[in-house]
Coordinates of all heavy atoms in Angstrom, one line a residue:
M1 N 35.4 3.0 -33.2 CA 34.8 3.1 -34.6 C 35.5 2.1 -35.5 O 36.8 2.1 -35.5 CB 34.9 4.5 -35.1 CG 34.3 4.6 -36.5 SD 34.4 6.3 -37.2 CE 32.9 7.0 -36.4
N2 N 34.8 1.4 -36.2 CA 35.3 0.4 -37.1 C 35.8 1.1 -38.4 O 35.2 2.1 -38.8 CB 34.2 -0.6 -37.5 CG 34.7 -1.8 -38.2 OD1 35.7 -1.7 -38.9 ND2 34.0 -2.9 -38.1
F3 N 36.8 0.6 -39.0 CA 37.4 1.2 -40.2 C 36.3 1.2 -41.3 O 36.2 2.2 -42.1 CB 38.6 0.4 -40.7 CG 39.3 1.0 -41.9 CD1 40.0 2.2 -41.8 CD2 39.2 0.4 -43.1 CE1 40.6 2.7 -42.9 CE2 39.8 1.0 -44.2 CZ 40.5 2.1 -44.1
N4 N 35.5 0.1 -41.4 CA 34.5 0.1 -42.5 C 33.4 1.1 -42.2 O 32.8 1.6 -43.1 CB 33.9 -1.3 -42.6 CG 34.9 -2.3 -43.2 OD1 35.8 -1.9 -43.9 ND2 34.8 -3.6 -42.8
Q5 N 33.1 1.4 -40.9 CA 32.0 2.4 -40.6 C 32.5 3.8 -41.0 O 31.7 4.6 -41.3 CB 31.7 2.3 -39.1 CG 30.9 1.1 -38.7 CD 30.7 1.2 -37.2 OE1 31.4 1.8 -36.5 NE2 29.7 0.4 -36.8
E6 N 33.8 4.0 -41.0 CA 34.3 5.3 -41.3 C 34.0 5.7 -42.8 O 33.8 6.8 -43.1 CB 35.8 5.3 -41.0 CG 36.4 6.7 -41.1 CD 37.9 6.7 -40.7 OE1 38.2 5.9 -39.8 OE2 38.6 7.5 -41.2
F7 N 34.0 4.7 -43.7 CA 33.8 5.0 -45.1 C 32.4 4.5 -45.5 O 32.2 4.2 -46.7 CB 34.9 4.2 -45.9 CG 36.2 4.8 -45.7 CD1 37.1 4.1 -44.9 CD2 36.6 6.0 -46.2 CE1 38.4 4.6 -44.7 CE2 37.9 6.5 -46.0 CZ 38.8 5.8 -45.2
Q8 N 31.5 4.5 -44.6 CA 30.1 4.1 -44.9 C 29.4 5.1 -45.8 O 28.6 4.8 -46.6 CB 29.3 3.9 -43.6 CG 27.9 3.4 -43.8 CD 27.3 3.1 -42.4 OE1 27.9 3.4 -41.4 NE2 26.1 2.7 -42.5
H9 N 29.7 6.4 -45.6 CA 29.0 7.5 -46.3 C 29.9 7.9 -47.5 O 31.1 8.2 -47.3 CB 28.7 8.7 -45.4 CG 27.8 8.3 -44.3 ND1 26.5 8.2 -44.5 CD2 28.0 8.1 -43.0 CE1 25.9 7.9 -43.4 NE2 26.8 7.8 -42.5
P10 N 29.4 8.0 -48.7 CA 30.2 8.5 -49.8 C 30.5 10.0 -49.6 O 29.8 10.7 -48.9 CB 29.3 8.3 -51.0 CG 27.9 8.3 -50.5 CD 28.0 7.8 -49.1
P11 N 31.6 10.5 -50.3 CA 31.9 11.9 -50.2 C 30.8 12.7 -50.8 O 30.1 12.3 -51.8 CB 33.2 12.0 -50.9 CG 33.4 10.8 -51.7 CD 32.6 9.7 -51.1
V12 N 30.6 13.9 -50.4 CA 29.6 14.8 -50.9 C 30.2 15.4 -52.2 O 31.3 15.9 -52.3 CB 29.3 16.0 -49.9 CG1 28.3 16.9 -50.5 CG2 28.9 15.4 -48.6
N13 N 29.4 15.3 -53.3 CA 29.9 15.7 -54.6 C 29.7 17.2 -54.7 O 29.1 17.9 -53.9 CB 29.3 14.9 -55.7 CG 27.8 15.1 -55.8 OD1 27.3 16.0 -55.2 ND2 27.1 14.2 -56.5
T14 N 30.3 17.8 -55.8 CA 30.3 19.2 -56.0 C 28.9 19.8 -56.1 O 28.6 20.9 -55.6 CB 31.1 19.6 -57.3 OG1 32.4 19.0 -57.1 CG2 31.3 21.1 -57.5
S15 N 28.0 19.2 -56.9 CA 26.7 19.7 -57.0 C 25.9 19.7 -55.7 O 25.2 20.7 -55.4 CB 25.9 18.9 -58.1 OG 25.8 17.6 -57.7
D16 N 26.1 18.7 -54.8 CA 25.5 18.7 -53.5 C 26.1 19.8 -52.6 O 25.3 20.5 -51.9 CB 25.7 17.4 -52.8 CG 24.8 16.3 -53.4 OD1 23.8 16.6 -54.1 OD2 25.2 15.1 -53.1
W17 N 27.4 20.1 -52.7 CA 28.0 21.2 -52.0 C 27.4 22.5 -52.5 O 27.2 23.4 -51.7 CB 29.5 21.1 -52.0 CG 30.1 20.3 -51.0 CD1 31.0 19.2 -51.3 CD2 30.0 20.3 -49.6 NE1 31.4 18.6 -50.1 CE2 30.8 19.3 -49.0 CE3 29.2 21.1 -48.7 CZ2 30.8 19.0 -47.7 CZ3 29.3 20.8 -47.4 CH2 30.1 19.8 -46.8
F18 N 27.3 22.6 -53.8 CA 26.8 23.9 -54.3 C 25.4 24.2 -53.8 O 25.1 25.3 -53.4 CB 26.8 23.8 -55.9 CG 26.4 25.0 -56.6 CD1 27.3 26.0 -56.8 CD2 25.1 25.2 -57.0 CE1 26.8 27.2 -57.4 CE2 24.6 26.3 -57.6 CZ 25.5 27.3 -57.8
L19 N 24.5 23.2 -53.8 CA 23.2 23.3 -53.3 C 23.2 23.6 -51.8 O 22.4 24.4 -51.3 CB 22.3 22.1 -53.7 CG 20.9 22.2 -53.3 CD1 20.2 23.4 -54.1 CD2 20.2 20.9 -53.6
T20 N 24.1 22.9 -51.1 CA 24.1 23.1 -49.6 C 24.6 24.5 -49.3 O 23.9 25.1 -48.4 CB 25.1 22.0 -49.0 OG1 24.7 20.7 -49.4 CG2 25.2 22.2 -47.5
V21 N 25.6 25.0 -49.9 CA 26.1 26.3 -49.6 C 25.0 27.4 -50.0 O 24.8 28.4 -49.3 CB 27.4 26.6 -50.3 CG1 27.8 28.1 -50.2 CG2 28.5 25.7 -49.7
F22 N 24.3 27.2 -51.2 CA 23.3 28.1 -51.6 C 22.1 28.1 -50.5 O 21.7 29.2 -50.2 CB 22.7 27.6 -52.9 CG 21.5 28.4 -53.4 CD1 21.7 29.7 -53.9 CD2 20.2 27.9 -53.3 CE1 20.6 30.5 -54.3 CE2 19.2 28.7 -53.7 CZ 19.4 30.0 -54.2
I23 N 21.7 27.0 -50.1 CA 20.6 27.0 -49.1 C 21.1 27.6 -47.8 O 20.4 28.3 -47.1 CB 20.1 25.5 -48.9 CG1 19.4 25.0 -50.1 CG2 19.2 25.4 -47.7 CD1 19.0 23.6 -50.1
A24 N 22.3 27.3 -47.4 CA 22.9 27.9 -46.1 C 23.0 29.4 -46.1 O 22.9 30.0 -45.1 CB 24.2 27.3 -45.8
R25 N 23.1 30.0 -47.3 CA 23.2 31.4 -47.4 C 21.8 32.1 -47.5 O 21.8 33.4 -47.4 CB 24.0 31.8 -48.6 CG 25.4 31.5 -48.5 CD 26.2 31.9 -49.7 NE 27.6 31.5 -49.5 CZ 28.6 32.4 -49.3 NH1 28.4 33.6 -49.3 NH2 29.8 31.9 -49.2
L26 N 20.7 31.4 -47.5 CA 19.4 32.0 -47.4 C 19.2 32.5 -46.0 O 19.5 31.8 -45.1 CB 18.3 31.1 -47.9 CG 18.4 30.6 -49.3 CD1 17.4 29.5 -49.6 CD2 18.2 31.7 -50.3
P27 N 18.6 33.7 -45.8 CA 18.6 34.3 -44.5 C 18.0 33.5 -43.4 O 18.7 33.2 -42.5 CB 17.8 35.6 -44.7 CG 18.0 35.9 -46.2 CD 18.1 34.6 -46.9
L28 N 16.8 33.1 -43.4 CA 16.2 32.4 -42.3 C 16.2 30.9 -42.5 O 16.5 30.1 -41.6 CB 14.8 32.9 -42.0 CG 14.1 32.3 -40.8 CD1 14.9 32.6 -39.5 CD2 12.7 32.8 -40.7
I29 N 15.9 30.5 -43.7 CA 15.9 29.1 -44.1 C 17.2 28.5 -43.9 O 17.4 27.4 -43.5 CB 15.3 28.9 -45.5 CG1 13.9 29.4 -45.6 CG2 15.4 27.5 -46.0 CD1 13.3 29.6 -47.0
G30 N 18.3 29.2 -44.3 CA 19.6 28.7 -44.2 C 20.0 28.4 -42.8 O 20.7 27.4 -42.5
F31 N 19.7 29.3 -41.8 CA 20.0 29.1 -40.4 C 19.3 27.8 -39.9 O 19.9 27.0 -39.2 CB 19.6 30.3 -39.6 CG 20.0 30.2 -38.2 CD1 21.3 30.2 -37.8 CD2 19.0 30.0 -37.2 CE1 21.7 30.1 -36.4 CE2 19.4 29.9 -35.9 CZ 20.7 30.0 -35.5
I32 N 18.0 27.7 -40.3 CA 17.3 26.5 -39.8 C 17.9 25.2 -40.4 O 18.0 24.2 -39.7 CB 15.8 26.7 -40.2 CG1 15.2 27.8 -39.4 CG2 15.0 25.4 -40.0 CD1 13.8 28.2 -39.9
M33 N 18.2 25.3 -41.7 CA 18.8 24.1 -42.3 C 20.2 23.8 -41.7 O 20.5 22.6 -41.6 CB 18.9 24.3 -43.8 CG 17.6 24.2 -44.5 SD 16.7 22.7 -44.2 CE 17.8 21.5 -44.8
L34 N 21.0 24.8 -41.3 CA 22.2 24.5 -40.7 C 22.0 23.7 -39.4 O 22.7 22.8 -39.1 CB 23.0 25.8 -40.4 CG 23.7 26.4 -41.6 CD1 24.3 27.8 -41.2 CD2 24.8 25.5 -42.1
I35 N 21.0 24.1 -38.6 CA 20.7 23.4 -37.4 C 20.2 22.0 -37.7 O 20.7 21.0 -37.1 CB 19.6 24.1 -36.6 CG1 20.2 25.5 -36.1 CG2 19.1 23.3 -35.4 CD1 19.1 26.4 -35.5
V36 N 19.4 21.8 -38.7 CA 18.9 20.5 -39.1 C 20.1 19.6 -39.5 O 20.2 18.4 -39.1 CB 17.9 20.6 -40.2 CG1 17.6 19.2 -40.8 CG2 16.6 21.2 -39.7
W37 N 21.0 20.1 -40.4 CA 22.1 19.3 -40.9 C 23.1 19.0 -39.7 O 23.7 18.0 -39.7 CB 22.9 20.1 -42.0 CG 22.1 20.2 -43.3 CD1 21.3 19.2 -43.8 CD2 22.2 21.2 -44.2 NE1 20.8 19.7 -45.0 CE2 21.3 20.9 -45.3 CE3 22.8 22.5 -44.2 CZ2 21.1 21.7 -46.4 CZ3 22.6 23.3 -45.3 CH2 21.8 22.9 -46.4
A38 N 23.3 20.0 -38.8 CA 24.2 19.7 -37.7 C 23.7 18.7 -36.8 O 24.5 17.9 -36.2 CB 24.4 21.0 -36.9
L39 N 22.4 18.6 -36.6 CA 21.8 17.6 -35.7 C 21.5 16.3 -36.3 O 21.0 15.3 -35.7 CB 20.6 18.2 -35.0 CG 20.9 19.4 -34.1 CD1 19.6 20.0 -33.6 CD2 21.9 19.1 -33.0
D40 N 21.6 16.2 -37.7 CA 21.2 14.9 -38.4 C 22.2 13.8 -38.1 O 23.4 13.9 -38.4 CB 21.2 15.2 -39.9 CG 20.6 14.1 -40.7 OD1 20.0 13.2 -40.1 OD2 20.8 14.2 -41.9
K41 N 21.7 12.8 -37.5 CA 22.5 11.6 -37.1 C 22.7 10.6 -38.3 O 23.7 9.9 -38.3 CB 21.9 10.9 -35.9 CG 21.9 11.7 -34.7 CD 23.2 12.0 -34.1 CE 23.1 12.8 -32.8 NZ 24.3 13.3 -32.3
N42 N 21.7 10.6 -39.2 CA 21.8 9.6 -40.3 C 22.3 10.2 -41.6 O 22.5 9.4 -42.5 CB 20.3 9.1 -40.6 CG 19.8 8.4 -39.4 OD1 20.5 7.7 -38.6 ND2 18.5 8.5 -39.1
G43 N 22.6 11.5 -41.6 CA 23.1 12.1 -42.9 C 24.6 11.9 -43.0 O 25.3 11.2 -42.2
N44 N 25.2 12.5 -44.0 CA 26.6 12.5 -44.2 C 27.3 13.2 -43.1 O 27.0 14.4 -42.8 CB 26.9 13.1 -45.6 CG 28.3 12.8 -46.0 OD1 29.3 12.9 -45.3 ND2 28.4 12.4 -47.3
P45 N 28.3 12.6 -42.4 CA 29.0 13.3 -41.3 C 29.8 14.4 -41.8 O 30.1 15.4 -41.0 CB 29.9 12.2 -40.7 CG 29.9 11.1 -41.7 CD 28.7 11.2 -42.6
N46 N 30.2 14.5 -43.0 CA 31.0 15.6 -43.5 C 30.1 16.9 -43.6 O 30.5 17.9 -43.2 CB 31.5 15.3 -44.9 CG 32.6 14.2 -44.9 OD1 33.4 14.2 -44.1 ND2 32.5 13.3 -45.9
K47 N 28.9 16.7 -44.0 CA 27.9 17.8 -44.1 C 27.6 18.2 -42.7 O 27.4 19.4 -42.4 CB 26.7 17.4 -44.9 CG 25.8 18.6 -45.2 CD 24.5 18.2 -45.9 CE 24.8 18.1 -47.4 NZ 23.5 17.9 -48.1
S48 N 27.4 17.3 -41.8 CA 27.1 17.6 -40.4 C 28.2 18.4 -39.7 O 27.9 19.4 -39.0 CB 26.8 16.3 -39.6 OG 26.5 16.6 -38.3
N49 N 29.4 18.0 -39.9 CA 30.6 18.7 -39.3 C 30.7 20.1 -39.9 O 31.0 21.0 -39.2 CB 31.9 17.9 -39.5 CG 31.9 16.7 -38.6 OD1 31.3 16.6 -37.6 ND2 32.6 15.7 -39.1
W50 N 30.4 20.2 -41.2 CA 30.5 21.5 -41.9 C 29.4 22.4 -41.3 O 29.7 23.6 -41.0 CB 30.3 21.4 -43.4 CG 30.2 22.7 -44.1 CD1 31.3 23.5 -44.5 CD2 29.0 23.3 -44.5 NE1 30.8 24.6 -45.1 CE2 29.4 24.5 -45.1 CE3 27.7 23.0 -44.4 CZ2 28.5 25.4 -45.6 CZ3 26.8 23.9 -44.9 CH2 27.2 25.1 -45.5
A51 N 28.2 21.9 -41.1 CA 27.1 22.7 -40.5 C 27.5 23.1 -39.1 O 27.2 24.3 -38.7 CB 25.8 21.9 -40.6
K52 N 28.1 22.3 -38.3 CA 28.5 22.6 -37.0 C 29.5 23.7 -37.0 O 29.4 24.7 -36.2 CB 29.0 21.4 -36.2 CG 27.9 20.4 -35.9 CD 28.5 19.1 -35.3 CE 27.5 18.0 -35.2 NZ 28.1 16.7 -34.8
A53 N 30.5 23.6 -37.8 CA 31.5 24.7 -37.9 C 30.9 26.0 -38.4 O 31.2 27.1 -37.9 CB 32.6 24.2 -38.9
K54 N 30.0 25.9 -39.3 CA 29.3 27.1 -39.8 C 28.5 27.8 -38.7 O 28.5 29.0 -38.6 CB 28.4 26.8 -41.0 CG 27.8 27.9 -41.7 CD 28.7 28.5 -42.7 CE 28.0 29.4 -43.6 NZ 28.9 30.3 -44.3
L55 N 27.8 27.0 -37.9 CA 27.0 27.5 -36.8 C 27.9 28.2 -35.7 O 27.6 29.2 -35.1 CB 26.2 26.4 -36.1 CG 24.9 26.0 -36.9 CD1 24.3 24.8 -36.3 CD2 23.9 27.2 -37.0
L56 N 29.1 27.6 -35.5 CA 30.1 28.2 -34.6 C 30.5 29.6 -35.2 O 30.6 30.6 -34.4 CB 31.3 27.3 -34.4 CG 31.1 26.1 -33.5 CD1 32.3 25.2 -33.5 CD2 30.8 26.6 -32.1
W57 N 30.8 29.7 -36.5 CA 31.1 31.0 -37.0 C 30.0 32.0 -36.9 O 30.2 33.2 -36.7 CB 31.5 30.9 -38.5 CG 33.0 30.5 -38.7 CD1 33.5 29.3 -39.2 CD2 34.1 31.3 -38.3 NE1 34.8 29.4 -39.1 CE2 35.2 30.6 -38.6 CE3 34.2 32.6 -37.7 CZ2 36.5 31.0 -38.4 CZ3 35.5 33.0 -37.5 CH2 36.6 32.3 -37.8
V58 N 28.7 31.5 -37.1 CA 27.6 32.4 -36.9 C 27.5 32.9 -35.5 O 27.3 34.1 -35.2 CB 26.3 31.7 -37.3 CG1 25.1 32.4 -36.8 CG2 26.2 31.4 -38.8
A59 N 27.8 32.1 -34.5 CA 27.8 32.5 -33.1 C 28.9 33.5 -32.8 O 28.7 34.5 -32.1 CB 28.0 31.2 -32.2
V60 N 30.1 33.3 -33.4 CA 31.2 34.2 -33.2 C 30.9 35.6 -33.8 O 31.0 36.6 -33.1 CB 32.5 33.6 -33.8 CG1 33.6 34.7 -34.0 CG2 33.0 32.5 -33.0
W61 N 30.4 35.6 -35.0 CA 30.0 36.9 -35.6 C 28.9 37.6 -34.9 O 28.9 38.8 -34.8 CB 29.7 36.7 -37.1 CG 30.9 36.5 -38.0 CD1 31.3 35.4 -38.6 CD2 31.9 37.5 -38.2 NE1 32.5 35.7 -39.2 CE2 32.9 37.0 -39.0 CE3 32.1 38.9 -37.8 CZ2 34.0 37.7 -39.4 CZ3 33.2 39.6 -38.2 CH2 34.1 39.0 -39.0
F62 N 27.9 36.8 -34.5 CA 26.8 37.4 -33.7 C 27.3 38.0 -32.5 O 26.9 39.1 -32.1 CB 25.7 36.3 -33.4 CG 24.5 36.9 -32.7 CD1 23.6 37.6 -33.3 CD2 24.4 36.6 -31.3 CE1 22.5 38.1 -32.6 CE2 23.3 37.1 -30.6 CZ 22.4 37.9 -31.3
S63 N 28.2 37.4 -31.8 CA 28.8 37.9 -30.5 C 29.5 39.2 -30.8 O 29.4 40.2 -30.0 CB 29.7 36.9 -29.9 OG 28.9 35.7 -29.5
L64 N 30.4 39.2 -31.8 CA 31.1 40.4 -32.2 C 30.3 41.6 -32.6 O 30.5 42.7 -32.1 CB 32.1 40.1 -33.3 CG 33.3 39.2 -32.9 CD1 34.1 38.8 -34.2 CD2 34.2 39.8 -31.9
F65 N 29.2 41.3 -33.4 CA 28.3 42.4 -33.7 C 27.5 42.9 -32.5 O 27.3 44.1 -32.4 CB 27.3 41.9 -34.8 CG 27.9 42.0 -36.2 CD1 28.0 40.8 -37.0 CD2 28.4 43.2 -36.7 CE1 28.5 40.9 -38.3 CE2 29.0 43.2 -38.0 CZ 29.0 42.1 -38.8
T66 N 27.1 42.0 -31.6 CA 26.4 42.4 -30.4 C 27.3 43.3 -29.6 O 26.9 44.4 -29.1 CB 26.0 41.2 -29.6 OG1 25.1 40.4 -30.5 CG2 25.2 41.6 -28.4
L67 N 28.6 42.9 -29.4 CA 29.5 43.8 -28.6 C 29.7 45.1 -29.3 O 29.7 46.1 -28.6 CB 30.8 43.0 -28.4 CG 30.8 41.9 -27.4 CD1 32.2 41.2 -27.4 CD2 30.6 42.5 -26.0
F68 N 29.9 45.1 -30.6 CA 30.1 46.3 -31.3 C 28.9 47.3 -31.1 O 29.1 48.5 -30.8 CB 30.3 46.0 -32.8 CG 30.5 47.2 -33.6 CD1 31.7 48.0 -33.6 CD2 29.5 47.6 -34.5 CE1 31.8 49.1 -34.4 CE2 29.6 48.7 -35.3 CZ 30.8 49.5 -35.2
F69 N 27.7 46.8 -31.3 CA 26.6 47.7 -31.2 C 26.3 48.1 -29.8 O 25.7 49.2 -29.5 CB 25.3 47.0 -31.9 CG 25.4 47.1 -33.4 CD1 25.5 45.9 -34.1 CD2 25.4 48.3 -34.0 CE1 25.6 46.0 -35.5 CE2 25.5 48.4 -35.4 CZ 25.6 47.2 -36.1
L70 N 26.6 47.2 -28.8 CA 26.5 47.7 -27.4 C 27.5 48.8 -27.1 O 27.1 49.8 -26.5 CB 26.8 46.5 -26.5 CG 25.7 45.5 -26.3 CD1 26.2 44.3 -25.4 CD2 24.5 46.2 -25.6
F71 N 28.7 48.7 -27.6 CA 29.6 49.8 -27.4 C 29.2 51.1 -28.1 O 29.2 52.2 -27.5 CB 31.0 49.5 -27.9 CG 31.8 48.5 -27.0 CD1 32.4 47.4 -27.5 CD2 31.7 48.7 -25.6 CE1 33.1 46.5 -26.7 CE2 32.4 47.8 -24.7 CZ 33.1 46.7 -25.3
I72 N 28.7 51.0 -29.3 CA 28.1 52.1 -30.0 C 26.9 52.7 -29.3 O 26.8 53.9 -29.1 CB 27.8 51.7 -31.5 CG1 29.0 51.3 -32.3 CG2 27.0 52.8 -32.2 CD1 30.0 52.4 -32.5
G73 N 26.1 51.8 -28.8 CA 24.9 52.3 -28.1 C 25.2 53.0 -26.8 O 24.7 54.1 -26.5
F74 N 26.1 52.4 -26.0 CA 26.5 53.0 -24.8 C 27.2 54.4 -25.0 O 27.1 55.3 -24.3 CB 27.4 52.1 -23.9 CG 26.6 51.0 -23.3 CD1 27.1 49.7 -23.3 CD2 25.4 51.3 -22.6 CE1 26.3 48.7 -22.7 CE2 24.7 50.3 -22.0 CZ 25.1 49.0 -22.0
G75 N 28.0 54.4 -26.1 CA 28.7 55.6 -26.4 C 27.7 56.7 -26.8 O 27.9 57.9 -26.4
A76 N 26.7 56.4 -27.6 CA 25.7 57.3 -28.0 C 24.9 57.8 -26.8 O 24.6 59.0 -26.7 CB 24.8 56.7 -29.0
I77 N 24.6 56.9 -25.9 CA 23.8 57.3 -24.7 C 24.6 58.2 -23.8 O 24.1 59.2 -23.3 CB 23.2 56.1 -24.0 CG1 22.2 55.4 -24.8 CG2 22.7 56.4 -22.6 CD1 21.7 54.0 -24.3
S78 N 25.8 57.8 -23.6 CA 26.7 58.7 -22.7 C 26.9 60.0 -23.3 O 27.0 61.1 -22.7 CB 28.0 58.0 -22.4 OG 28.8 57.9 -23.5
G79 N 27.1 60.1 -24.7 CA 27.3 61.4 -25.3 C 26.0 62.2 -25.3 O 26.1 63.4 -25.2
F80 N 24.9 61.6 -25.3 CA 23.6 62.3 -25.2 C 23.4 62.9 -23.9 O 23.1 64.1 -23.7 CB 22.4 61.3 -25.5 CG 21.1 61.9 -25.4 CD1 20.6 62.8 -26.4 CD2 20.3 61.6 -24.3 CE1 19.3 63.3 -26.3 CE2 19.0 62.2 -24.2 CZ 18.6 63.1 -25.2
F81 N 23.7 62.2 -22.8 CA 23.6 62.7 -21.5 C 24.7 63.6 -21.1 O 24.6 64.4 -20.2 CB 23.5 61.6 -20.4 CG 22.1 60.9 -20.5 CD1 22.1 59.5 -20.8 CD2 21.0 61.6 -20.2 CE1 20.8 58.9 -20.9 CE2 19.8 60.9 -20.2 CZ 19.7 59.6 -20.6
E82 N 25.8 63.6 -21.8 CA 26.9 64.5 -21.5 C 26.5 65.9 -21.9 O 27.0 66.9 -21.2 CB 28.1 64.1 -22.4 CG 29.4 64.8 -22.2 CD 30.1 64.5 -20.9 OE1 29.8 63.4 -20.4 OE2 30.9 65.3 -20.4
N83 N 25.6 66.1 -22.8 CA 25.2 67.4 -23.2 C 24.3 68.1 -22.1 O 24.2 69.3 -22.1 CB 24.4 67.4 -24.5 CG 25.3 67.0 -25.7 OD1 26.4 67.3 -25.7 ND2 24.7 66.4 -26.7
F84 N 23.7 67.3 -21.3 CA 22.8 67.8 -20.2 C 23.6 68.3 -19.0 O 23.0 69.0 -18.2 CB 21.8 66.8 -19.8 CG 20.7 66.6 -20.9 CD1 20.6 65.4 -21.5 CD2 19.9 67.6 -21.2 CE1 19.6 65.2 -22.5 CE2 18.9 67.4 -22.2 CZ 18.8 66.2 -22.8
K85 N 24.8 68.0 -18.8 CA 25.5 68.4 -17.6 C 25.8 69.9 -17.6 O 26.1 70.5 -16.6 CB 26.8 67.6 -17.4 CG 27.9 67.9 -18.3 CD 29.1 67.1 -17.9 CE 30.3 67.6 -18.7 NZ 31.5 67.0 -18.3
D86 N 25.8 70.5 -18.8 CA 26.1 71.9 -18.9 C 24.9 72.8 -18.6 O 25.0 74.0 -18.3 CB 26.6 72.3 -20.3 CG 27.9 71.6 -20.7 OD1 28.6 71.3 -19.7 OD2 28.2 71.4 -21.9
F87 N 23.7 72.2 -18.5 CA 22.5 73.0 -18.2 C 22.3 73.1 -16.7 O 22.4 72.1 -16.0 CB 21.2 72.3 -18.8 CG 21.2 72.4 -20.3 CD1 21.4 71.2 -21.1 CD2 21.1 73.6 -21.0 CE1 21.4 71.2 -22.4 CE2 21.1 73.6 -22.4 CZ 21.2 72.4 -23.1
P88 N 22.1 74.3 -16.2 CA 21.8 74.4 -14.8 C 20.4 73.9 -14.4 O 19.5 74.0 -15.1 CB 21.9 75.9 -14.5 CG 21.6 76.6 -15.8 CD 22.0 75.6 -16.9
I89 N 20.4 73.2 -13.3 CA 19.1 72.7 -12.8 C 18.6 73.7 -11.8 O 19.2 74.1 -10.8 CB 19.3 71.3 -12.1 CG1 19.9 70.3 -13.1 CG2 18.0 70.8 -11.5 CD1 20.3 69.0 -12.5
E90 N 17.3 74.1 -12.0 CA 16.7 75.2 -11.1 C 15.7 74.6 -10.3 O 15.0 73.7 -10.6 CB 16.2 76.3 -12.0 CG 17.3 77.0 -12.7 CD 16.7 78.1 -13.6 OE1 15.6 78.6 -13.3 OE2 17.4 78.5 -14.6

């Protein structure tokens, strides 16, 4: 990479970051825009790297919540069937 290519894009100013973070926090549109910004080859690389990092955090939190609810679900199901072992089968 050439030194001049590294500074080809101007830094993202505060109002652009404000709008970017606002859009990223919208439930479905924000997720779609994060993907668009992460895959954008012609946009600002700072915004692209930020979107990639944000998507990684989304993946980590989604994985943790999935594991948590799986444990809760399996615990509830095993507790439900635990009550049936005391009933005699005729």
Side-chain angles (χ1 to χ4, degrees):
M1 178 179 279
N2 189 337
F3 183 75
N4 290 332
Q5 286 178 340
E6 190 173 329
F7 294 103
Q8 184 177 2
H9 298 282
V12 182
N13 61 20
T14 305
S15 61
D16 285 342
W17 276 124
F18 183 82
L19 185 62
T20 301
V21 171
F22 175 75
I23 291 172
R25 289 181 184 250
L26 296 174
L28 183 61
I29 297 168
F31 182 72
I32 294 169
M33 287 306 299
L34 283 174
I35 293 171
V36 169
W37 290 326
L39 299 176
D40 188 14
K41 299 290 183 192
N42 298 325
N44 194 312
N46 295 319
K47 189 183 278 191
S48 177
N49 289 335
W50 174 81
K52 290 173 189 174
K54 187 84 168 162
L55 285 172
L56 284 173
W57 275 114
V58 168
V60 166
W61 282 111
F62 180 77
S63 300
L64 289 174
F65 279 122
T66 301
L67 285 174
F68 176 74
F69 284 115
L70 281 174
F71 286 136
I72 295 293
F74 285 135
I77 290 172
S78 67
F80 177 75
F81 287 116
E82 186 73 22
N83 293 332
F84 286 116
K85 76 175 187 177
D86 295 335
F87 294 112
I89 299 175
E90 295 178 24

